[in-house]
Amino acid sequence: MTYAAITGWGKCMPPAVLTNADLSTFLDTSDEWIVSRTGMKERRVSHVSATEMAVVAAKRALACAGVDAADVDLIVYGSCSNDEQVPNTASGVQAAIGATKAASIDLNTACTSFLYSLTAATSMIRTGVAKTALVIGVEIISPFMDWDNRNVAVLFGDGCAAVVLQASEKQGGVLGEQLGCLADARQTLRVRGMGTLYTNRGVTSGDTDWDFDGQEIFKRAVQGMVQASQAVMAKCGVTPDDIDLVVPHQANLRIIDAVVSRSGIPMDKVMLTVERYGNMSAATVPVALAEALEHGRVKPGALILLPAFGAGLTVCAHLVRWGERVTPLAQSDAELPPAKKSALEMVQDIRARKAKQRSLEGLHGLNFIERM
C-alpha cells in the first residue's frame, strides 16, 4: 500500500497582534470576559493577502522537506476566504513558487478545509494521481469580520501553514479519517455577504453580517468532534491511550476541553494555540501542528489525532502516524514584508470603511436553501 507521509511543514503568521485590550477600545468587552468564555488573549491581523501568506508558508514547508517546487504534482489550498474565486487561489500560489507541473485546487469546508484538503491530497497520492503534494490551510478573516459584533469579533484571527506530502511505502501520514456534516444545523453559522446570493443586492464586497448561534454551535461541535474522533480510532483499531498528541481545531478552549475529556484523552496531550492566535479557521490545525514540531511535542513515530469542525457544520477527525524526522532538512529565507500599521489601526480602518458601505437590507431577506 502507498502512504502519503508528511515530510515538510511551515507556518506564516502576520506580525500584527490584536489583543483583548485593543478590542475593548471599541467593543463592550474586557480581557477577563473574553478569556473566561474563549481562552483567547490575542489574535493576528494580516497586512498582506492570503496568497502572500500561503506562498511564504509553502516555501518554508518545501525547504523543510527538501523538495523543489518544480517536483510538486498537486497543490490543495484549503480556505473559506479566498483572495479570488476566478482564477482559483491555488493557481496563484503555484505561479509564485514555480510549481510548474502541479495541479491546483481550492477546497472550502470552512474551518475543516485544511483537513479535508489533507484527505484529498492523501487520496490522490494513494491512488497514484500524484506523488508529491503541497497542502495549505490559510485564512484572512479580518476583512470580512463584522468588527462591531462582539460575539464574533473576539474569536477570529488570520494565519497560514502548509505541509508537504510524499508517496511512501512505509506506513505514515493519514492512517484514517472520519468526515461528516451536520447540515441540519448549517444556519447556526453563516457569514452574510460572502457569495453570489448577495450579488446585485446593494452589498459591497466585504460588508458582512454574521449569524452565530454560540450555544448550538458549542453543542454540535463537541458532539460532532467526539463522535468523529471515536469513529476514526475504532476504524484504525487504536484506543485513547495510544494517542500521543491531539492537535484540535482551536475554536474555543471550552470546546477543546470538552472534546478531549469526552474522548478519554488528558489535556496534557493537547497542543493549544488558541490563547495566542484565536480561531484561524482553516489555518488553526496546521499552525498548531507546525508549532508542536517547533516545540518538540511531536516525537518520531507519534500517533496524532486531529479533530475539527466548521460552518456547514462540517466535522472530521484524522489519525496521523508521524515519520522519523521531526526537524527541517533546510530553512527558507521567505519572509513577509513588515506591517506599516498596528493591528488595531488596521481594524479601525476596516470599521471606518464598512460604516460607509453598510447594506443590511441586501444582507437579509434571502431565501436560503434550508428554507426551500
Side-chain angles (χ1 to χ4, degrees), residues 180-204:
C181 184
L182 310 174
D184 63 309
R186 72 189 301 270
Q187 72 281 354
T188 60
L189 204 175
R190 167 173 278 123
V191 183
R192 296 172 183 263
M194 297 177 73
T196 57
L197 273 182
Y198 305 94
T199 305
N200 302 320
R201 293 182 59 89
V203 177
T204 304

Side-chain angles (χ1 to χ4, degrees), residues 264-340:
I265 302 171
M267 277 297 288
D268 61 8
K269 287 188 175 183
V270 180
M271 180 65 196
L272 294 174
T273 62
V274 65
E275 180 181 26
R276 291 174 292 115
Y277 299 141
N279 181 351
M280 295 177 288
S281 188
T284 58
V285 169
V287 167
L289 180 60
E291 293 214 346
L293 285 148
E294 291 171 5
H295 298 158
R297 297 199 61 185
V298 178
K299 306 301 181 185
L303 192 61
I304 307 173
L305 178 67
L306 303 100
F309 81 98
L313 293 172
T314 58
V315 294
C316 64
H318 289 59
L319 201 60
V320 168
R321 176 70 71 185
W322 201 259
E324 293 303 310
R325 185 168 54 81
V326 293
T327 56
L329 290 176
Q331 302 283 345
S332 170
D333 60 2
E335 296 282 352
L336 292 180
K340 295 180 180 179

Side-chain angles (χ1 to χ4, degrees), residues 233-249:
M233 285 190 284
K235 186 185 299 184
C236 295
V238 304
T239 69
D241 291 339
D242 297 317
I243 303 298
D244 296 303
L245 184 68
V246 182
V247 183
H249 174 48

Side-chain angles (χ1 to χ4, degrees), residues 204-241:
T204 304
S205 179
D207 183 15
T208 61
D209 194 33
W210 291 54
D211 296 344
F212 192 86
D213 185 344
Q215 289 186 340
E216 186 67 14
I217 290 168
F218 183 97
K219 181 179 73 174
R220 295 298 194 109
V222 172
Q223 169 194 342
M225 293 168 73
V226 169
Q227 290 178 350
S229 296
Q230 292 172 340
V232 74
M233 285 190 284
K235 186 185 299 184
C236 295
V238 304
T239 69
D241 291 339

